[in-house]
Amino acid sequence: MLLSRIQCLFLLIVVLVGCNQPDQSTASLSPKEDADFSTAMDLLNAQPDSAFYYFNEVATQSTDSLEIASALNYMAIIQHNAGDYFGSIETLLAALGYLYEETEDKRPYYQAVYNLLGSNNLTLGNYVDAILYYQQTIELTTDPNFKNIARNNLAVAYQKQSDYAKAIELLTAIQKDTASNPVNRARVQSNLARTRWLQNNAYNPLPDFWAALRIRSREKDQWGLNASYSHLADYYSATRPDSALFYASRMYAIAKKLNSADDQLQALQKLIPLAAPDQAKSYAATFMRLSDSLQTARNTARNQYALIRYEAAKSKAENLELLNANAEKELLLFRQQLIGGVLVLGLLGLMVFGINRQRKKKEQLKWQYEQSLRENQLKTSQKVHDVVANGLYRIMTTIEYKEELDKNELLDNIEELYEKSRDISYEGQESHPVSDYQQSINELLKGFASETTKVVIVGNESGCWETMHPTAKNNLHQVLQELMVNMRKHSQASLVVVKFERGPDGLHIIYTDNGIGMPASPHFGNGLKNTENRIFQLNGRISFGQHQPTGLTIEIHLPLTPAYDK
């Protein structure tokens, strides 16, 4: 009966990558008429959080494997749209576990799962995995339109991987199939021109860029216009900064109209190095505020979806416990009739012991979940402060005090800050090896020098950093950045001296300035608390001392021990 109802594809959200802009296409059909499934479908666009709850009800209560796979796929789509790409991948892999084998009736389900797995991995920069999943999507697809969409996605993955020849081959092959669809024709034409330009910067992509822009304007394709403005801004950035600024501004306006935070951040990345210093500072402040807000929203959504699944699992466990309790009661009555009171008391004792044990186990699981949530929120707060706030403050200081700006260097710094802020909620992203750590420290400290503040560095020799673990280097870099940010904000110092000494017992760092010093009863904010925590994690010591009659001295000692492996 189920097979007779699957006559067409259920909802497929397809990421059509023209620049990095998702273009969502849908088709219909849930696997069967289920009340929770229907409720979830009604809420999918207007209230995705509520839809996720009802889809999860189907996934945990249904006995139909295809219905469970369909519900899990929708949940993964909601997670993808909320920016929880790792969570979406986890949910999609769970959906594959209910499909068992690639039979004809399951073909549309596999198409949806593999395509979204490709899109998640493409967004995360896992291009090898994205290519494999898109290839599987193409193998399973018989519909020519959907096959061309998947081939376009595969071409973009090759482009991102810098395999321009394969990307050009794919886009050229599908170009002839887009004549009847202007939006698709403009997407392929623009992607093909951009790929050829990336392969050979002497190639002129403008005729194709203009043609795609005219089609998108005529068709009122807002996502396509967003991609065209991005392509034109990138093309003109090196040769005609005024034109690049114009198109980056148009992209920013379209991104705000589409309410796409990711595209607004990308547009701001282009605007900051192109705009005048005062406007660049305003764009930088907007970038920081929007990036922080987006990251907070995505972390909230990720935790909310995890909580929904946790509560559902807990409810299922409680139902099983209730069934067990009822069965035990029936067994108790039967035993009571056969054996008598003594055995009844024994069974009652065992039941009470089991219930208490289950209750304690539930309380422990709840406590572990809440503790993990608090730790994740604390870690995210520390990362946002270290990476986004201090990094952006350093960029704004460069814009404010440098007479001549190296726009390429500034753009690289903003690109790095954007990538770190995008990935900040995922584990394993904090440590970034630096090829010349001595030069990196010099650039960090000198970056806070200005017309009113002189920064002197003593003893920063390459020998100081030999054998130091990359994790220790990364933490020390954040500590020094926090000290210099606090100096710039609060000290009013005209002279800052940072001295490095390496001895047999470890590395000794002495920071001094001639500023106003610290109050008698200082109150440490999150930044200085994070600084102390980083030093303590490395088995080090940090002390703050008043410099007479004014100024501040901070001493840091880091031992040369395996503590750096932490």
Side-chain angles (χ1 to χ4, degrees):
M1 182 176 184
L2 176 61
L3 292 176
S4 65
R5 294 181 179 181
I6 304 177
Q7 302 297 327
C8 62
L9 300 179
F10 71 106
L11 180 73
L12 301 174
I13 293 193
V14 181
V15 178
L16 308 177
V17 189
C19 176
N20 285 320
Q21 278 50 305
D23 192 3
Q24 296 179 343
S25 173
T26 60
S28 64
L29 202 59
S30 59
K32 71 177 189 177
E33 297 175 2
D34 178 274
D36 285 337
F37 209 112
S38 298
T39 301
M41 292 296 297
D42 292 338
L43 296 170
L44 183 60
N45 293 322
Q47 300 179 44
D49 294 348
S50 299
F52 187 92
Y53 170 82
Y54 285 106
F55 281 130
N56 191 61
E57 288 290 292
V58 175
T60 55
Q61 296 180 15
S62 176
T63 57
D64 187 304
S65 61
L66 286 183
E67 186 175 57
I68 294 173
S70 179
L72 288 170
N73 186 70
Y74 281 112
M75 291 164 65
I77 291 169
I78 294 171
Q79 289 173 295
H80 174 92
N81 291 341
D84 183 12
Y85 305 115
F86 284 113
S88 180
I89 290 174
E90 181 182 0
T91 304
L92 289 167
L93 294 177
L96 287 176
Y98 287 94
L99 295 176
Y100 307 120
E101 57 184 354
E102 295 180 4
T103 55
E104 187 64 30
D105 61 308
K106 295 174 183 176
R107 182 184 294 270
Y109 300 90
Y110 275 105
Q111 283 178 213
V113 171
Y114 286 142
N115 188 71
L116 192 54
L117 280 169
S119 297
N120 280 318
N121 280 281
L122 183 65
T123 304
L124 292 170
N126 302 327
Y127 303 131
V128 173
D129 291 339
I131 288 169
L132 290 175
Y133 285 124
Y134 282 140
Q135 287 174 337
Q136 288 177 295
T137 304
I138 293 169
E139 290 177 4
L140 289 167
T141 302
T142 56
D143 179 79
N145 290 328
F146 187 74
K147 186 182 288 287
N148 283 335
I149 289 171
R151 291 163 73 190
N152 178 79
N153 291 349
L154 177 59
V156 172
Y158 279 127
Q159 183 200 90
K160 296 289 186 181
Q161 200 184 37
S162 300
D163 193 343
Y164 302 123
K166 287 186 179 179
I168 291 172
E169 181 182 355
L170 275 168
L171 291 169
T172 303
I174 63 178
Q175 193 173 30
K176 64 179 181 297
D177 296 330
T178 61
S180 62
N181 190 318
V183 172
N184 288 343
R185 183 168 73 253
R187 178 185 302 111
V188 174
Q189 185 175 13
S190 187
N191 279 345
L192 182 57
R194 176 176 171 81
T195 306
R196 285 172 171 163
W197 172 59
L198 290 173
Q199 184 186 48
N200 176 15
N201 58 13
Y203 176 78
N204 180 15
L206 285 177
D208 288 325
F209 282 173
W210 291 122
L213 181 62
R214 286 193 295 271
I215 294 173
R216 287 162 165 172
S217 298
R218 185 174 65 247
E219 298 294 326
K220 295 181 173 55
D221 178 13
Q222 298 297 309
W223 285 109
L225 288 172
N226 184 61
S228 284
Y229 292 141
S230 176
H231 290 172
L232 287 164
D234 289 342
Y235 177 77
Y236 281 121
S237 62
T239 57
R240 294 176 57 182
D242 55 340
S243 297
L245 178 62
F246 171 78
Y247 288 115
S249 300
R250 296 295 296 271
M251 178 187 177
Y252 185 47
I254 287 284
K256 289 198 292 185
K257 184 177 180 181
L258 292 170
N259 197 28
S260 171
D262 282 322
D263 290 295
Q264 291 179 56
L265 289 175
Q266 290 187 35
L268 288 168
Q269 280 185 271
K270 303 177 193 298
L271 286 168
I272 292 173
L274 295 169
D278 289 344
Q279 188 62 46
K281 289 176 65 176
S282 175
Y283 285 141
T286 302
F287 180 96
M288 176 180 176
R289 183 172 60 254
L290 180 60
S291 178
D292 189 21
S293 175
L294 177 62
Q295 192 56 52
T296 300
R298 285 179 171 174
N299 286 336
T300 300
R302 183 163 62 98
N303 291 333
Q304 182 177 3
Y305 295 144
L307 182 59
I308 289 173
R309 301 185 82 163
Y310 166 79
E311 292 292 344
K314 185 178 75 170
S315 176
K316 186 174 182 179
E318 289 174 346
N319 289 336
L320 290 175
E321 181 182 340
L322 181 60
L323 290 174
N324 290 335
N326 290 335
E328 287 180 0
K329 288 181 180 179
E330 293 177 2
L331 179 61
L332 176 63
L333 292 174
F334 178 73
R335 295 284 187 177
Q336 191 175 30
Q337 294 175 356
L338 294 178
I339 304 173
V342 175
L343 187 56
V344 168
L345 291 176
L347 289 173
L348 280 173
L350 288 174
M351 186 177 70
V352 171
F353 173 79
I355 292 174
N356 285 337
R357 184 176 180 182
Q358 286 291 101
R359 178 173 53 80
K360 290 179 180 179
K361 186 175 181 180
K362 285 194 299 180
E363 291 175 352
Q364 183 181 10
L365 286 173
K366 181 179 180 181
W367 180 86
Q368 290 174 345
Y369 172 79
E370 293 173 346
Q371 185 69 13
S372 175
L373 187 59
R374 283 192 293 269
E375 291 174 357
N376 286 337
Q377 290 172 340
L378 179 61
K379 184 183 296 183
T380 299
S381 174
Q382 178 177 327
K383 288 182 180 179
V384 168
H385 183 276
D386 286 343
V387 175
V388 179
N390 283 345
L392 190 56
Y393 188 87
R394 178 181 171 191
I395 292 173
M396 292 174 69
T397 299
T398 301
I399 295 173
E400 183 176 2
Y401 291 105
K402 274 196 175 182
E403 295 182 359
E404 295 183 3
L405 294 177
D406 185 337
K407 291 191 175 183
N408 288 330
E409 179 183 351
L410 183 61
L411 182 59
D412 289 342
N413 290 336
I414 295 169
E415 178 81 18
E416 179 183 2
L417 180 61
Y418 172 72
E419 293 297 332
K420 287 181 179 178
S421 65
R422 187 191 71 174
D423 297 336
I424 202 169
S425 64
Y426 305 118
E427 293 295 330
Q429 301 294 327
E430 187 176 29
S431 180
H432 301 274
V434 177
S435 59
D436 190 345
Y437 190 73
Q438 175 192 3
Q439 181 64 22
S440 175
I441 292 297
N442 274 334
E443 291 176 355
L444 169 67
L445 299 177
K446 288 294 185 182
F448 288 87
S450 68
E451 295 177 355
T452 59
T453 304
K454 181 178 181 182
V455 177
V456 178
I457 305 170
V458 180
N460 180 22
E461 306 293 342
S462 59
C464 285
W465 315 114
E466 292 179 357
T467 73
M468 180 174 281
H469 193 276
T471 301
K473 290 181 179 179
N474 183 69
N475 281 337
L476 181 57
H477 193 281
Q478 299 293 349
V479 167
L480 292 174
Q481 179 172 264
E482 180 61 35
L483 295 182
M484 298 304 287
V485 168
N486 275 276
M487 176 278 293
R488 170 64 61 194
K489 289 182 177 179
H490 308 299
S491 75
Q492 302 177 24
S494 61
L495 176 63
V496 177
V497 179
V498 184
K499 183 177 181 182
F500 301 87
E501 296 177 346
R502 176 159 175 166
D505 62 335
L507 179 65
H508 194 53
I509 304 171
I510 304 173
Y511 165 97
T512 59
D513 68 40
N514 64 349
I516 62 174
M518 300 179 68
S521 300
H523 173 70
F524 286 7
N526 287 336
L528 289 179
K529 287 180 181 178
N530 289 340
T531 295
E532 286 188 317
N533 288 337
R534 288 182 181 275
I535 296 298
F536 294 156
Q537 287 171 4
L538 301 175
N539 284 353
R541 302 190 304 274
I542 183 170
S543 61
F544 298 81
Q546 196 73 9
H547 197 47
Q548 298 299 330
T550 60
L552 177 66
T553 297
I554 301 174
E555 296 189 22
I556 300 172
H557 180 267
L558 298 177
L560 300 177
T561 69
Y564 293 125
D565 293 337
K566 290 184 178 181

